Amino acid sequence: MMGDPHLLQMVEEGLRNTVDKEFTAQMSESLSSRETSFLINEEPSPAKRFNLFLRRRLMFQKNEQSKDSIFFRDGVRQIDFVLSYVDDIKKETDIKAERRKEFEKNLKKTGLELEIEDKRDSEDGKTYFVKIHAPWEVLATYAEVLGIKMPIKESDIPQSKYTPFSYMFGPVKLSPTVKYSHPEYFTAQFSRHRQELFLIEDEATFFPSAARNRIVYYILSRCPFGIEEGKKKFGIERLLNSNTYSSAYPLHDGQYWKPSDNRLNERYTLYQNWARFSYFYKEQPLDLIKNYYGEKIGIYFVFLGFYTEMLFFAAVVGLACFIYGLLSMENNQSSIEICDPNIGGQIIMCPLCDEVCDYWRLNTTCLASKFSHLFDNESTVFFAIFMGIWVTLFLEFWKQRQARLEYEWDLVDFEEEQQQLQLRPEFEAMCKHKKMNPVTKEMEPFMPLYARIPWYFLSGATVTLWMALVISSMVAVIVYRLSVFATFASFMESEASLKQVKSIFTPQLATSLTGSCLNFMVILMLNFFYEKISAWITKMEIPRTHQEYESSLTLKMFLFQFVNFYSSCFYVAFFKGKFVGYPGKYTYLFNVWRSEECDPGGCLIELTAQLTIIMIGRQVFGNINEAIYPLVFNWWRRRRSRSNSEKLYSRWEQDHDLETFGSLGLFYEYLETVIQFGFVTLFVASFPLAPLLALINNLVEIRVDAWKLTTQYRRPVAAKAHSIGVWQDILFAMAVLSVATNAFIVAFTSDIIPRLVYFYAYSQNSNQPLSGYVNNSLSIFLIADFPNRTVPSEKRDFTTCRYRDYRNPPDHEYKYAHNMQFWHVLAAKMTFIIVMEHIVFLVKFLLAWMIPDVPKDVVERIKREKLMTVKILHDFELKKLKENLGLNPDEFAKHVMIEENKVNLAKSTI
């Protein structure tokens, strides 16, 4: 039957006559869910099943135009928010259904309009979707409540041409239509009673989508859904926590890979001009990001972009210092002497471990000494001072950028987001007491201090325990390196095939690299588990507001990650090789393992290797994880849900199958950036290429974050923020700490200061002042003074060996005691630390004093905008007065005088 074209034509004509009546009656609507379910469930005969197939095909052909629709079935009312839930009869309880019914009834009372998609119309056949639309009256009312600023007149202030350190070349710039997606306006807080004042061309598009979903979420977060246990319950977050609803999210504008028909698709514009990796060198469309995702997410990308721009200058200087070290590597006097067979080849060094390690010649570390010079040369001091100044410039210019942003994004008078100050549902659920709020004069849930103290103790104990676990794991890695070093040394000594490799891959290098890789894997594992535990502990503390929750979690996560990522670097920089002792009187860890010694060229090269492995490994792992996880998760979710391919895969279902960004999504992004900032600043004296690696990573990071937000995540609810919050204080603290750490690295980890002391005080060769430095830096030890348990078993034809220290020779009255040069070098190191810190801090304070927090042109623009806003409001009020008072000249003159006085008062305050 299905193969007969004549029969098919007859059936189609008969069916079209029947179905057209239904479609004519509801031209702008699809079939209701009840009609759809009737069609799906009806299975009378093969002929009727074929008719059903044709009817369904016609239905979905008609709906094809709305497959990507962000409107109700009428095609007019825009969907501002979507709620979803699964009506599982096995797990469903009456209380959840009752909560939903009451909640949706109260939403309608607030003026919101709802449209429900039956589960039979969804792809998986299980999920209901509640589409929410906010009509003009609701938007206007809550825009006034939230103090949302809207345009009243196009601005006559020209665009600022000054953007510090950014966008110097044409190829990096975006098209002006993308960069400035909307004209600049003078704005004022929206008021329903002054609607004529605002530039309202179309009520449907006057409020941007970000403002609309923010308003709807504000209503959802405060809408009650019943009284339980004598308490009034409200808020979508509580319903989500109890699985009454499975998700709540605003819709994306459309597909990211194609523009939408007959309307603007900002998601597509963002993908084309921001989220593509081929645009890594382009500036970001910051205004468009703010308009689409809200100011809170927008300011994160502004910060990340500004930080990346400033890294460019640090990377250039760091690369220049590295190139200097590379060019001067072959001419380095210390390396020349170490590599010389007649100097380094004749110097016998004491064993690096007990019994199994043999004596060795200094020239075996020839290549290591050359590599060490790459990062340990005269430019190290310059770069450490430069980075101390750079970090000050970065933070001061960021203050200015932030102030400029507050003006451009209308955040000058912005106060803390009320969302952040709202009571958390968990806090309300746990509270059994109430207390009068002195501001609102209302009774609010209250938790006394004695009820919180046990949780605070548990929280503090847990954080301390995990930090101790980090320290113990670091000690375990040190024990690994101490125990494995002897194995590497004896193996390389015994294997004849490794004799050639030993000049490049020394036992010290092999131990250092394997230890650093092991340490990095331990760091990642501890970090993974601690993230889960810290979130659980913070919930157990029962913070009162969302802001308190985020602040508490920030403190825990930052303290832990600071210790976790930096502890091994602090150990190598400031402890390794500093308390070794000397041959015959070494110090031992747990009285078993001998303390680690530095290479004759110093510990700086090992600090560089440690920093490189952890920094690069963390950045690569982070970017891969951020890109792969949501991609795989979304693919798997879509794969499982696409079971009914003939059904409509609607806009809300597509977004439902995406990953959730979450309220703490930005928290982890900031944390990642701040930890990287620590690598760039705290230990940069040992690795001048760190800013370059951070720059490359951030160029990728910006596009990865943009790509995942645009393509792999549901659209977050728009939220306001005028700064990066507590992270700014953390950056300032790290900047101050970085001055001290780099000064100590140059003084105690680098070999610069001992060389300078020798150069000016002990050198006897005026033509080559550093000639003889290697021999001078090594002390002499009499082999006969070795304890029996440490000396190698084989007899040797030499009587002394050398070790790195400044001690008296065996024939001295105070043999093996520190000599005068040791105290001279120590005094020089302490002097350098004091001088460098004072110089850098003096420059920091001068720069902070010279660079204003708010640029002068921004101050003038703010004053101009305030004045113009007052004037526009004045003219508007006068016009209304004239209309209300008619032509009574006395009354009108009186009111004019009052309004003029208001304007003059505003001018005087400005």
Side-chain angles (χ1 to χ4, degrees):
M1 182 179 70
M2 294 182 66
D4 190 340
H6 297 290
L7 180 59
L8 179 63
Q9 185 178 0
M10 290 172 62
V11 172
E12 278 192 348
E13 287 177 357
L15 181 60
R16 191 178 296 113
N17 292 333
T18 305
V19 175
D20 279 349
K21 296 178 181 178
E22 294 179 37
F23 284 150
T24 303
Q26 37 184 321
M27 187 62 70
S28 61
E29 290 187 351
S30 60
L31 290 174
S32 68
S33 58
R34 184 177 299 175
E35 289 170 324
T36 307
S37 64
F38 173 76
L39 290 175
I40 293 172
N41 294 329
E42 187 182 31
E43 295 184 359
S45 66
K48 288 188 176 181
R49 280 200 299 271
F50 176 60
N51 292 346
L52 173 62
F53 165 77
L54 290 176
R55 187 173 180 181
R56 187 183 296 163
R57 189 183 72 174
L58 287 176
M59 179 179 72
F60 285 105
Q61 279 180 348
K62 177 183 182 300
N63 278 341
E64 188 66 28
Q65 62 182 353
S66 62
K67 182 177 182 179
D68 203 39
S69 174
I70 59 171
F71 297 94
F72 277 16
R73 296 190 193 105
D74 58 16
V76 176
R77 291 173 292 172
Q78 181 178 334
I79 302 172
D80 296 310
F81 228 87
V82 175
L83 309 178
S84 69
Y85 62 92
V86 176
D87 190 7
D88 192 341
I89 298 176
K90 295 180 181 179
K91 299 180 180 179
E92 186 71 8
T93 59
D94 293 336
I95 189 169
K96 288 184 180 180
E98 187 61 33
R99 283 174 180 171
R100 286 194 294 265
K101 181 180 177 182
E102 186 68 20
F103 186 69
E104 290 167 15
K105 184 179 76 173
N106 289 329
L107 286 179
K108 291 177 181 177
K109 286 182 180 178
T110 64
L112 295 178
E113 297 175 1
L114 277 58
E115 186 174 76
I116 300 176
E117 291 290 329
D118 193 86
K119 65 180 181 180
R120 296 183 182 88
D121 293 333
S122 64
E123 258 203 321
D124 58 6
K126 300 177 182 179
T127 308
Y128 290 88
F129 291 95
V130 182
K131 300 178 287 185
I132 302 173
H133 167 75
W136 170 258
E137 293 76 15
V138 173
L139 293 173
T141 301
Y142 283 92
E144 186 172 358
V145 170
L146 294 174
I148 295 177
K149 290 185 175 182
M150 298 305 292
I152 55 177
K153 182 182 178 182
E154 191 163 344
S155 175
D156 59 359
I157 303 175
Q159 287 285 346
S160 175
K161 296 182 180 179
Y162 172 69
T163 50
F165 304 115
S166 61
Y167 319 137
M168 293 181 292
F169 305 103
V172 304
K173 291 187 176 181
L174 290 170
S175 166
T177 57
V178 175
K179 185 176 179 182
Y180 305 108
S181 54
H182 301 285
E184 289 291 323
Y185 294 102
F186 292 124
T187 60
Q189 288 191 359
F190 187 79
S191 171
R192 289 171 297 163
H193 307 296
R194 295 175 174 172
Q195 290 189 32
E196 305 87 359
L197 175 65
F198 295 89
L199 303 179
I200 305 175
E201 295 181 1
D202 182 3
E203 291 183 351
T205 59
F206 177 65
F207 290 103
S209 58
R212 295 175 71 101
N213 72 59
R214 183 179 163 222
I215 289 171
V216 173
Y217 184 78
Y218 181 86
I219 298 172
L220 291 173
S221 63
R222 285 157 179 78
C223 183
F225 56 83
I227 298 176
E228 299 174 10
E229 300 175 357
K231 295 180 181 178
K232 187 177 181 180
K233 304 294 184 179
F234 62 90
I236 186 63
E237 291 298 328
R238 185 186 292 275
L239 294 173
L240 291 172
N241 291 339
S242 63
N243 292 320
T244 305
Y245 287 102
S246 56
S247 61
Y249 53 93
L251 287 183
H252 279 295
D253 280 359
Q255 306 287 8
Y256 67 85
W257 64 82
K258 65 177 182 179
S260 300
D261 298 329
N262 303 322
R263 60 183 174 84
L264 179 65
N265 183 351
E266 290 184 334
R267 186 189 188 193
Y268 172 76
T269 308
L270 281 170
Y271 178 76
Q272 290 295 315
N273 298 279
W274 181 48
R276 290 193 297 169
F277 291 93
S278 58
Y279 271 45
F280 73 93
Y281 62 94
K282 291 278 191 181
E283 62 180 330
Q284 301 181 79
L286 299 173
D287 285 345
L288 193 58
I289 297 169
K290 182 262 296 183
N291 292 338
Y292 193 72
Y293 291 111
E295 289 82 356
K296 192 169 185 177
I297 289 178
I299 203 168
Y300 162 73
F301 283 103
V302 175
F303 170 73
L304 186 58
F306 182 80
Y307 170 49
T308 304
E309 293 166 23
M310 290 295 290
L311 276 176
F312 173 79
F313 301 96
V316 169
V317 177
L319 184 61
C321 292
F322 176 78
I323 292 172
Y324 169 81
L326 193 65
L327 296 177
S328 61
M329 186 169 62
E330 295 298 331
N331 299 322
N332 175 34
Q333 185 64 34
S334 297
S335 298
I336 291 173
E337 292 185 1
I338 290 173
C339 298
D340 191 338
N342 298 320
I343 303 176
Q346 300 303 315
I347 296 177
I348 307 298
M349 301 296 293
C350 297
L352 293 172
C353 62
D354 296 340
E355 295 187 90
V356 296
C357 293
D358 202 355
Y359 301 97
W360 53 285
R361 296 186 183 274
L362 185 60
N363 66 345
T364 58
T365 62
C366 172
L367 199 60
S369 70
K370 290 183 178 180
F371 281 140
S372 180
H373 179 76
L374 281 174
F375 307 103
D376 188 7
N377 52 66
E378 295 77 9
S379 66
T380 302
V381 180
F382 164 76
F383 192 60
I385 296 173
F386 169 81
M387 287 304 294
I389 298 170
W390 174 87
V391 74
T392 303
L393 289 171
F394 163 66
L395 292 172
E396 291 302 319
F397 282 132
W398 168 244
K399 285 182 185 176
Q400 287 202 342
R401 183 71 182 93
Q402 202 165 246
R404 193 179 298 276
L405 200 68
E406 286 183 23
Y407 161 72
E408 292 173 352
W409 288 1
D410 266 336
L411 299 170
V412 175
D413 300 321
F414 168 72
E415 296 181 359
E416 191 62 48
E417 181 76 8
Q418 293 181 6
Q419 250 174 261
Q420 289 293 94
L421 301 176
Q422 182 187 350
L423 295 180
R424 297 175 66 244
E426 294 87 347
F427 178 81
E428 293 181 272
M430 295 292 291
C431 284
K432 298 179 180 179
H433 302 83
K434 288 201 171 186
K435 182 181 179 182
M436 176 75 73
N437 187 318
V439 178
T440 62
K441 299 299 180 183
E442 293 179 359
M443 298 298 291
E444 289 185 352
F446 167 72
M447 183 167 288
L449 183 61
Y450 67 81
R452 292 190 180 197
I453 285 178
W455 293 111
Y456 285 146
F457 272 115
L458 176 64
S459 176
T462 307
V463 173
T464 305
L465 175 66
W466 274 85
M467 287 188 179
L469 187 61
V470 171
I471 302 298
S472 61
S473 67
M474 184 189 71
V475 173
V477 172
I478 293 172
V479 170
Y480 159 82
R481 298 201 305 200
L482 292 173
S483 57
V484 168
F485 176 79
T487 307
F488 272 117
S490 59
F491 177 72
M492 290 186 170
E493 194 68 34
S494 60
E495 287 290 330
S497 59
L498 296 176
K499 293 291 184 183
Q500 300 298 324
V501 180
K502 190 177 176 182
S503 61
I504 301 174
F505 197 65
T506 61
Q508 296 100 312
L509 183 61
T511 307
S512 175
L513 291 178
T514 55
S516 297
C517 292
L518 178 63
N519 187 62
F520 174 66
M521 288 187 286
V522 171
I523 285 172
L524 290 182
M525 287 195 308
L526 290 175
N527 200 54
F528 173 78
F529 288 111
Y530 183 78
E531 279 188 10
K532 312 295 181 186
I533 291 173
S534 61
W536 176 77
I537 292 174
T538 308
K539 287 180 181 178
M540 292 298 101
E541 289 177 5
I542 320 174
R544 184 172 181 273
T545 64
H546 294 281
Q547 189 179 38
E548 288 180 13
Y549 176 85
E550 193 167 322
S551 298
S552 179
L553 184 62
T554 299
L555 180 64
K556 292 182 184 64
M557 286 297 298
F558 176 73
L559 284 177
F560 175 78
Q561 291 214 4
F562 186 92
V563 175
N564 195 24
F565 281 102
Y566 301 145
S567 56
S568 58
C569 294
F570 273 105
Y571 164 73
V572 175
F574 305 124
F575 296 100
K576 183 180 179 182
K578 306 301 184 293
F579 310 102
V580 175
Y582 60 91
K585 198 174 181 181
Y586 287 117
T587 57
Y588 289 83
L589 182 66
F590 306 128
N591 292 321
V592 177
W593 294 284
R594 208 172 94 185
S595 296
E596 288 185 283
E597 293 183 47
C598 289
D599 188 87
C603 274
L604 195 72
I605 187 65
E606 186 170 339
L607 176 59
T608 303
Q610 182 89 5
L611 187 67
T612 305
I613 289 172
I614 295 177
M615 184 177 178
I616 293 179
R618 182 183 181 278
Q619 292 182 164
V620 171
F621 176 81
N623 281 325
I624 291 176
N625 182 55
E626 285 185 18
I628 298 299
Y629 171 75
L631 191 66
V632 172
F633 186 87
N634 291 337
W635 170 81
W636 180 250
R637 181 185 281 179
R638 284 193 297 266
R639 183 177 177 273
R640 293 183 63 187
S641 65
R642 294 302 295 271
S643 56
N644 301 312
S645 57
E646 79 279 1
K647 291 191 177 181
L648 177 67
Y649 194 37
S650 58
R651 170 82 268 136
W652 46 91
E653 289 179 286
Q654 293 174 51
D655 284 11
H656 180 264
D657 290 343
L658 295 177
E659 183 62 42
T660 306
F661 188 63
S663 59
L664 294 176
L666 273 186
F667 166 81
Y668 289 108
E669 297 295 344
Y670 275 120
L671 182 62
E672 181 183 359
T673 306
V674 168
I675 293 297
Q676 185 206 76
F677 181 80
F679 283 120
V680 169
T681 55
L682 294 176
F683 309 101
V684 74
S686 67
F687 190 38
L689 290 181
L692 179 63
L693 294 178
L695 173 66
I696 295 171
N697 172 79
N698 286 2
L699 290 173
V700 176
E701 175 79 14
I702 289 173
R703 305 303 158 179
V704 168
D705 288 346
W707 172 80
K708 71 182 184 182
L709 263 179
T710 310
T711 66
Q712 302 302 312
Y713 282 87
R714 293 174 187 165
R715 185 176 181 177
V717 179
K720 279 184 173 288
H722 59 62
S723 68
I724 60 175
V726 68
W727 299 109
Q728 189 156 319
D729 298 327
I730 292 174
L731 291 175
F732 273 98
M734 294 181 75
V736 173
L737 180 62
S738 69
V739 177
T741 55
N742 283 303
F744 274 88
I745 286 172
V746 172
F748 288 99
T749 310
S750 166
D751 209 33
I752 287 289
I753 303 301
R755 286 204 295 263
L756 289 175
V757 171
Y758 179 81
F759 183 94
Y760 288 108
Y762 291 90
S763 178
Q764 298 176 354
N765 189 335
S766 57
N767 294 327
Q768 291 184 328
L770 282 177
S771 178
Y773 166 73
V774 172
N775 184 64
N776 176 266
S777 65
L778 300 173
S779 298
I780 301 172
F781 184 78
L782 190 65
I783 292 177
D785 291 338
F786 266 123
N788 291 332
R789 67 185 182 89
T790 62
V791 68
S793 56
E794 296 183 18
K795 298 293 182 182
R796 302 295 179 185
D797 56 356
F798 42 82
T799 58
T800 61
C801 64
R802 309 294 292 274
Y803 61 99
R804 181 181 171 82
D805 208 343
Y806 293 103
R807 293 181 181 269
N808 294 322
D811 56 356
H812 195 275
E813 180 183 1
Y814 303 103
K815 69 175 184 178
Y816 307 138
H818 287 300
N819 59 23
M820 188 55 66
Q821 189 172 350
F822 169 83
W823 300 108
H824 287 166
V825 170
L826 182 61
K829 288 179 177 179
M830 299 307 296
T831 304
F832 172 80
I833 291 172
I834 293 171
V835 171
M836 177 180 166
E837 286 186 347
H838 279 70
I839 290 174
V840 174
F841 280 126
L842 179 62
V843 173
K844 282 170 70 73
F845 289 134
L846 284 174
L847 289 173
W849 175 72
M850 292 170 60
I851 302 173
D853 290 351
V854 183
K856 185 180 178 181
D857 66 310
V858 173
V859 173
E860 292 172 351
R861 286 165 178 264
I862 292 172
K863 289 181 178 180
R864 167 70 178 165
E865 182 156 344
K866 284 185 177 180
L867 182 63
M868 289 301 299
T869 303
V870 170
K871 186 176 183 303
I872 293 169
L873 291 174
H874 161 259
D875 293 342
F876 175 78
E877 292 295 340
L878 283 182
K879 183 180 177 183
K880 286 189 70 175
L881 279 171
K882 190 173 182 179
E883 291 174 356
N884 293 336
L885 298 174
L887 299 176
N888 188 331
D890 295 331
E891 288 293 324
F892 182 69
K894 178 182 175 182
H895 285 281
V896 167
M897 185 177 296
I898 293 172
E899 293 299 327
E900 291 289 350
N901 289 334
K902 288 182 181 179
V903 175
N904 292 331
L905 180 62
K907 288 181 178 179
S908 63
T909 56
I910 291 172

